[in-house]
Amino acid sequence: MKIRKNDTVLVITGKDKGKKGKVRFAYPKDERVLVEGINLIKRHTRARGQVRQAGIIEREATIHVTNVMLLCNKCNHPTRIGFRHLQDGRKVRICRSCGEVID
Ligand SMILES: [Zn+2]
């Protein structure tokens, strides 16, 4: 998957359009990511002994990778990602805007 954990991404669709956040988890199988502070949903929780308080908590829900763009940490632009094979056989991601290797 093109987006990975700890990437900084820009949300391009939905209610959080235009917001930036850091990817906390990536789920390559589902092509979804969990981004810090993005797509908050309210969950009602019930008191469970003394461990939890009853009430409403907010937490992030995953969003589809096609709804975000990677923010390049070199040129600071939201960018499409390309791939390049290095001489040692490794495949790395590159920024399509500035051509920098991202990882
Ligand atoms: Zn760049």
Side-chain angles (χ1 to χ4, degrees):
M1 196 162 70
K2 291 182 176 183
I3 307 288
R4 294 176 194 167
K5 190 177 172 182
N6 292 328
D7 283 346
T8 301
V9 294
L10 176 74
V11 180
I12 52 172
T13 59
K15 61 173 180 166
D16 289 316
K17 186 175 175 179
K19 288 190 191 168
K20 297 169 190 173
K22 195 172 170 187
V23 176
R24 293 218 307 205
F25 292 102
Y27 305 93
K29 227 198 273 178
D30 302 322
E31 299 196 304
R32 300 183 77 85
V33 288
L34 193 73
V35 186
E36 227 165 59
I38 301 297
N39 199 22
L40 291 175
I41 53 163
K42 288 189 167 70
R43 278 177 67 130
H44 298 260
T45 58
R46 221 174 266 170
R48 207 176 282 165
Q50 293 178 343
V51 185
R52 267 192 184 175
Q53 284 198 317
I56 300 167
I57 55 162
E58 279 198 324
R59 49 163 294 179
E60 293 107 345
T62 60
I63 55 175
H64 200 261
V65 286
T66 53
N67 293 343
V68 300
M69 281 186 95
L70 182 73
L71 273 179
C72 175
N73 52 21
K74 302 271 171 25
C75 65
N76 215 23
H77 282 115
T79 184
R80 303 217 342 261
I81 298 162
F83 289 100
R84 183 192 289 163
H85 287 276
L86 299 181
Q87 285 182 330
D88 63 7
R90 279 195 304 141
K91 193 167 118 179
V92 295
R93 298 181 300 171
I94 58 164
C95 168
R96 286 254 174 99
S97 300
C98 66
E100 279 289 340
V101 173
I102 292 166
D103 51 1

